[in-house]
């Protein structure tokens, strides 16, 4: 079975600094997709960035980039130039596709707090 | 930008009541999902649907039921609410293109409290 591990329950970063949120995964499937979502205190899940297992380059979306190290099975999210509005929970997820099952497996999340 | 809606956003209700949480999407997505999330914890899949008249149970056992009579609508029902059902319920949808890049887009969630 696939598994996502986020070992940082909480992280602090000063405004305008960069921060890395860790995510490791475990799968025997050679083809997989990795996702990062942001969840503010209001509760909605906001899609941030996607990385495919066969993608040659690390994904980037504005201030978000994904440090994908396939051999180490890690997909860390890097947020550059942190803003106060980045304070939220961040979840790493992997898509599991098996016969009739198509779902996301989530990690336990990292709570990021940005301070002035 | 995803257009997926959930009502109500917040619900406080007494034990034994029947409740229905609404979820609608306007993107024509075939796949829809319900997740349950306790505060500060990860999401767990409780139901999913691949299209009209298709529903399946997810990983986390749930006493709730779902229906999919129309593509855009995927309501979740609890026949008799209990305090153990207190949680946040998130609805999501994705296109049915069979690609691993298919992103799931989430609604704003319903925070349910059962007294």
């Amino acid at each position: 079975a696939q598994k996502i591990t986020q070992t940082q329950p909480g992280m602090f970063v000063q405004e305008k600094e960069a921060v890395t949120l860790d995510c490791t995964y475990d799968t025997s499937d050679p083809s997989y997709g990795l996702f990062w979502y942001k969840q503010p205190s209001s509760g909605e899940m906001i899609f941030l960035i996607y990385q495919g297992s066969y993608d040659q380059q690390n994904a980037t979306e504005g201030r978000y980039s994904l440090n994908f190290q396939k051999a180490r099975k890690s997909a860390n999210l890097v947020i550059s130039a942190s803003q106060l509005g980045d304070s939220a929970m961040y979840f790493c997820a992997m898509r599991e596709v098996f016969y009739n099952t198509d779902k996301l497996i989530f990690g336990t999340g990292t709570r990021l707090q940005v301070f002035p | 930008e995803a257009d997926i809606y959930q009502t109500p956003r917040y619900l406080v209700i007494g034990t034994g009541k029947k409740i229905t949480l609404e979820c609608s999407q306007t993107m024509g997505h075939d796949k829809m999902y319900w997740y349950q999330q306790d505060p500060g914890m990860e999401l767990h899949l409780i139901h999913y649907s691949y299209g009209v008249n298709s529903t399946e149970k997810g990983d986390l056992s749930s006493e709730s039921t779902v229906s999919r009579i129309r593509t855009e609508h995927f309501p979740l029902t609890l026949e008799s609410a209990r305090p153990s059902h207190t949680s946040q319920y998130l609805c999501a949808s994705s296109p049915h293109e069979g690609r691993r890049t298919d992103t799931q887009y989430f609604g704003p969630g319903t925070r349910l409290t059962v007294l």
Side-chain angles (χ1 to χ4, degrees):
Chain A
Q2 298 181 336
K3 185 179 179 181
I4 293 287
T5 302
Q6 293 181 257
T7 57
Q8 306 157 314
M11 289 285 285
F12 288 89
V13 65
Q14 190 166 29
E15 198 176 7
K16 300 180 184 178
E17 297 294 312
V19 63
T20 298
L21 307 183
D22 295 341
C23 172
T24 58
Y25 59 91
D26 188 18
T27 181
S28 56
D29 191 342
S31 178
Y32 50 88
L34 295 158
F35 301 79
W36 276 92
Y37 285 85
K38 172 184 177 181
Q39 187 177 43
S41 57
S42 52
E44 73 269 33
M45 295 285 283
I46 302 167
F47 166 69
L48 295 178
I49 196 167
Y50 165 82
Q51 179 80 46
S53 58
Y54 292 123
D55 292 344
Q56 295 296 315
Q57 294 185 334
N58 288 342
T60 60
E61 288 286 348
R63 293 186 300 110
Y64 305 108
S65 61
L66 207 150
N67 183 1
F68 182 48
Q69 298 187 44
K70 195 170 181 177
R72 298 180 61 182
K73 293 190 174 180
S74 73
N76 299 338
L77 177 71
V78 180
I79 305 175
S80 62
S82 298
Q83 303 172 355
L84 295 177
D86 294 334
S87 294
M89 283 287 288
Y90 288 81
F91 290 94
C92 181
M94 171 182 285
R95 192 181 194 97
E96 179 178 88
V97 180
F98 184 74
Y99 291 112
N100 287 329
T101 300
D102 183 359
K103 61 184 180 183
L104 288 176
I105 308 295
F106 285 86
T108 52
T110 296
R111 182 172 298 280
L112 176 66
Q113 295 195 49
V114 182
F115 60 93
Chain B
E1 192 69 27
D3 294 320
I4 181 165
Y5 309 98
Q6 290 185 245
T7 57
R9 290 294 311 278
Y10 303 91
L11 180 61
V12 181
I13 202 163
T15 297
K17 300 291 186 183
K18 177 181 179 179
I19 60 170
T20 297
L21 308 185
E22 302 288 348
C23 176
S24 296
Q25 50 95 6
T26 59
M27 298 166 286
H29 287 169
D30 287 322
K31 295 182 178 179
M32 295 190 74
Y33 310 82
W34 276 103
Y35 291 87
Q36 184 174 343
Q37 181 188 29
D38 290 333
M41 305 294 286
E42 68 264 48
L43 282 71
H44 292 285
L45 182 69
I46 52 174
H47 297 283
Y48 60 98
S49 167
Y50 289 162
V52 171
N53 295 325
S54 151
T55 60
E56 300 287 343
K57 289 191 176 296
D59 297 328
L60 185 66
S61 176
S62 173
E63 294 167 344
S64 58
T65 59
V66 292
S67 62
R68 190 88 183 275
I69 298 173
R70 304 197 314 266
T71 298
E72 63 271 21
H73 195 212
F74 191 41
L76 180 146
T77 298
L78 275 167
E79 290 292 334
S80 179
R82 293 207 300 269
S84 61
H85 296 139
T86 294
S87 190
Q88 172 158 260
Y89 294 84
L90 288 152
C91 181
S93 73
S94 73
H96 191 183
E97 297 177 10
R99 301 175 309 190
R100 295 189 186 278
T101 56
D102 292 342
T103 299
Q104 287 189 21
Y105 296 98
F106 284 80
T110 294
R111 294 194 182 184
L112 173 65
T113 301
V114 184
L115 303 176

